[in-house]
Amino acid sequence: DQRIQRAAEEGLKWVFENKVREGSKAQAAIVVMSSDGAVRALVGGRKTKVAGAFNRATQAMRQTGSAFKPFIYAAALDLGYSPDDIIVDEPYCLNIPGSGQWCPKNYTKSFKGPVTLTEALKSSLNIPAVKVSESVGRETVSSVATQFGIKSDLAAGPALALGASESTLLEMTGAYAGILNGGSSVTPYGLVDLRLLGETEPLMGTGGGINERVIQEDAARQLVYMMEKVISEGTGQRAKFGGRQLAGKTGTTSANKDAWFVGFSADYVAGVWMGYDDNTPLTGVTGGGLPAEIWRETMSRVHEGMPLKELPMQAPAPPSNLSEAQPEPQPQPQPQGGGNQGGGADNVIDRVLRDIFGGGSSGSGASAPAPNFLDR
């Protein structure tokens, strides 16, 4: 879509001209798509209008950082967790077989105590993300992320929860499209069909579009509710524009080598990556900074003249009155695999007890010490 392509190119240019120091070698990439995976705009970097240019939107494999966290919460919501469930943000360590103790840290290096899952995502807290990932099972989280379209090898250890794995911007944007469309994966495509003049049969079709359901629609709508708070109240507030309902997630990787902002309106999904080709750390840049501003400048241009539309989101139901006599909590088997595994309401008590007493299984071990991703 030439109008949307221009919007992306102009949004990127505006931020680099007005917000980035002159002579900077930092790069950025943008993908804009519809919720069915139809790619409407793609910018592979600055000054890429030459044959054979490296396309950072489709070719660069980069660590995702906290932009991966929605898939942890997608897995949890699909198993019956609520956006209002409480998790304790506190000092937390796991013993990794073969490599010793691993203690994740929050970006702020402080702790908030009991928080809801929504607050944990909104503030991009690392310790609750690891706890939830360990509680639902890394295999489940990996399966959900893979089914949503993140095809690269996902980290085996607990740092999976903090975006230790790599992906392309196109994959990540396509995975977020699955959240917007109600929980079904998409295959990104940029071609409707190709046919010879006068021929009725196309030589080539889309090869893309909406695929199988990954999580239940209620879980997807609750996740959109949580991600809306990231922009309206949390780390992604610089992405706001035009009084629209918007949802998304910031991501900044270890040593600030990559900064991401991926999100959506009711109409379009867009992803922005920023970093250096040689992995030089970005100076003073997090996902909630320049990438969110590039996203805003792009999406505000994309939405010019478009009516305001509400996001397909669902607030959590108020808690029902629990009777005084509670059943003895039973240990729950750790689910393996993702998708529609039904509700997990019967293990809420067990989960709360484990949160209070620092529970969460350590699962399978990593072969090397996991890095501390100080992530926002």
Side-chain angles (χ1 to χ4, degrees):
D1 184 316
Q2 291 302 309
R3 181 186 72 84
I4 297 177
Q5 180 68 28
R6 277 194 302 276
E9 291 173 2
E10 288 168 8
L12 180 68
K13 184 180 174 190
W14 187 91
V15 170
F16 271 88
E17 284 180 351
N18 291 279
K19 303 278 183 146
V20 179
R21 63 177 170 77
E22 201 172 337
S24 170
K25 296 281 196 293
Q27 274 291 351
I30 305 172
V31 174
V32 183
M33 66 174 65
S34 302
S35 64
D36 67 346
V39 176
R40 304 298 182 181
L42 190 147
V43 180
R46 300 163 66 199
K47 303 170 185 171
T48 55
K49 293 189 175 178
V50 292
F54 181 59
N55 189 331
R56 292 158 192 85
T58 60
Q59 294 174 286
M61 297 291 292
R62 307 293 294 219
Q63 284 188 328
T64 57
S66 283
F68 184 81
K69 284 176 183 166
F71 308 112
I72 301 164
Y73 294 103
L77 294 167
D78 199 49
L79 288 168
Y81 286 58
S82 161
D84 281 346
D85 278 351
I86 301 293
I87 193 106
V88 183
D89 180 32
E90 61 191 349
Y92 178 72
C93 295
L94 289 170
N95 283 312
I96 313 300
S99 58
Q101 201 173 59
W102 178 65
C103 305
K105 303 283 191 295
N106 289 325
Y107 185 87
T108 57
K109 299 182 181 171
S110 60
F111 308 100
K112 290 199 170 189
V115 292
T116 63
L117 298 192
T118 303
E119 289 168 326
L121 183 65
K122 175 179 86 177
S123 301
S124 201
L125 301 176
N126 287 341
I127 290 157
V130 174
K131 280 187 168 185
V132 172
S133 175
E134 295 297 299
S135 177
V136 304
R138 291 173 216 156
E139 288 294 323
T140 305
V141 173
S142 290
S143 177
V144 166
T146 301
Q147 289 177 62
F148 267 127
I150 298 175
K151 301 300 185 192
S152 57
D153 289 337
L154 294 172
L160 166 75
L162 305 185
S165 308
E166 294 180 335
S167 184
T168 67
L169 180 60
L170 183 65
E171 277 185 356
M172 286 292 285
T173 310
Y176 275 56
I179 298 168
L180 173 61
N181 72 29
S184 296
S185 65
V186 307
T187 301
Y189 65 98
L191 175 73
V192 177
D193 69 25
L194 176 68
R195 64 184 74 209
L196 294 172
L197 189 64
E199 295 285 332
T200 54
E201 289 298 310
L203 294 173
M204 190 184 297
T206 62
I210 292 183
N211 303 319
E212 294 178 1
R213 176 166 295 284
V214 180
I215 59 172
Q216 298 163 79
E217 187 170 357
D218 280 358
R221 291 168 69 92
Q222 288 181 327
L223 182 56
V224 174
Y225 164 83
M226 292 170 66
M227 293 169 69
E228 189 276 334
K229 300 295 183 194
V230 173
I231 294 183
S232 62
E233 303 172 10
T235 60
Q237 293 187 55
R238 287 202 205 175
K240 289 181 191 175
F241 67 88
R244 285 183 186 272
Q245 281 191 351
L246 305 164
K249 186 69 192 78
T250 54
T252 314
T253 64
S254 185
N256 285 28
K257 290 174 187 170
D258 303 276
W260 301 73
F261 192 88
V262 191
F264 44 80
S265 65
D267 299 289
Y268 291 105
V269 190
V272 173
W273 166 85
M274 189 172 179
Y276 286 95
D277 289 339
D278 63 1
N279 278 317
T280 301
L282 292 158
T283 306
V285 176
T286 62
L290 290 175
E293 294 193 31
I294 294 170
W295 190 92
R296 181 194 69 222
E297 292 301 321
T298 296
M299 289 287 265
S300 61
R301 287 165 170 80
V302 167
H303 287 79
E304 275 175 15
M306 292 180 66
L308 296 179
K309 223 165 135 183
E310 291 189 353
L311 285 168
M313 61 184 181
Q314 178 180 316
S320 57
N321 292 326
L322 298 174
S323 62
E324 287 182 25
Q326 294 291 353
E328 183 81 17
Q330 299 297 316
Q332 299 294 316
Q334 194 180 70
Q336 300 296 319
N340 299 318
Q341 298 193 38
D346 56 348
N347 68 3
V348 169
I349 300 163
D350 182 45
R351 212 164 54 238
V352 170
L353 288 173
R354 277 185 284 143
D355 290 341
I356 292 168
F357 296 108
S361 64
S362 61
S364 58
S367 58
N372 274 334
F373 286 83
L374 302 182
D375 217 342
R376 196 160 222 173

